[in-house]
Amino acid sequence: HLSPFWISGQDYTGRTALDASMAFARIVQSLVTWTVASFYGSLVSVSMVFSVIRRGPRAFFSHNVRQDRPKCLDDPALGTHGYVRLKSSGLRFHYVAAGERDKPLMLCLHGFPECWYSWRHQLKEFRDSYRVVAPDLRGYGETESPQPFGYRGWPNFSMSHLTTDVRELVEALGYSSCTLVAH
């Protein structure tokens, strides 16, 4: 004699056999993912330790300073480079502008950890309809960084500083408003 429990296909918790198999599949998937990630993470860690031993910690943790500026950053097809000094912070901001000065301003703000160059395609695309300006935000690219730098300097990168920088940058470029594009 079959009870309603077996006819419905549910166990005593009310789950179906399909739910149990899906839960098991998720557990197996998680285990495989963590196993693969741990394996490759261990390989990278071991290779880094061997590199530190072979080259020494000073060579491993050092970085190479680029001697020449990349030519792509000075491509005249992308626009002209300019600098403005903002009133409240006194920082010198670098920007690249394309399009005629009498057109409406489109201001393109880059994300972390980028610079104006991330907007190179938009500079070319919108130059016919707008004065497109892509600045380096404070502390990035050729724009000055507020002092003190480091952990104590993080308050100098707050949202209120960013909005003040954008407002003053728009004014320094000779505009009262802009189309703001950011990511």
Side-chain angles (χ1 to χ4, degrees):
H1 163 263
L2 292 176
S3 69
F5 164 76
W6 291 107
I7 293 173
S8 68
Q10 296 179 343
D11 63 11
Y12 62 91
T13 63
R15 288 192 233 155
T16 64
L18 182 60
D19 289 339
S21 68
M22 288 177 64
F24 180 73
R26 281 194 297 264
I27 291 170
V28 169
Q29 182 181 13
S30 293
L31 284 173
V32 168
T33 301
W34 279 101
T35 302
V36 169
S38 298
F39 174 74
Y40 283 109
S42 299
L43 285 178
V44 169
S45 298
V46 168
S47 70
M48 289 173 67
V49 167
F50 281 131
S51 181
V52 168
I53 292 169
R54 185 181 51 223
R55 294 175 35 206
R58 185 174 299 255
F60 179 79
F61 290 106
S62 68
H63 67 282
N64 295 331
V65 177
R66 190 182 291 251
Q67 297 301 320
D68 297 324
R69 181 180 166 95
K71 292 186 188 335
C72 61
L73 295 180
D74 294 323
D75 183 1
L78 297 177
T80 58
H81 294 260
Y83 297 89
V84 293
R85 189 160 299 276
L86 301 187
K87 295 175 195 168
S88 66
S89 66
L91 296 175
R92 188 180 86 158
F93 269 64
H94 168 257
Y95 66 89
V96 175
E100 302 300 322
R101 291 184 188 273
D102 61 341
K103 295 186 177 165
L105 177 64
M106 176 184 284
L107 191 63
C108 302
L109 304 181
H110 63 79
F112 173 83
E114 298 174 343
C115 68
W116 70 268
Y117 192 70
S118 61
W119 296 105
R120 63 192 177 279
H121 302 296
Q122 289 77 14
L123 285 164
K124 289 180 179 179
E125 182 67 29
F126 294 107
R127 69 174 12 144
D128 294 334
S129 304
Y130 292 92
R131 169 79 168 166
V132 187
V133 175
D136 286 331
L137 297 178
R138 60 168 58 199
Y140 293 93
E142 295 180 45
T143 294
E144 294 176 340
S145 181
Q147 298 299 325
F149 193 75
Y151 179 74
R152 292 187 193 128
W154 284 115
N156 291 322
F157 292 91
S158 68
M159 187 59 72
S160 64
H161 285 93
L162 174 64
T163 55
T164 301
D165 290 347
V166 169
R167 182 176 40 80
E168 289 185 13
L169 185 59
V170 169
E171 292 170 2
L173 293 170
Y175 290 87
S176 59
S177 64
C178 71
T179 299
L180 186 62
V181 182
H183 68 86

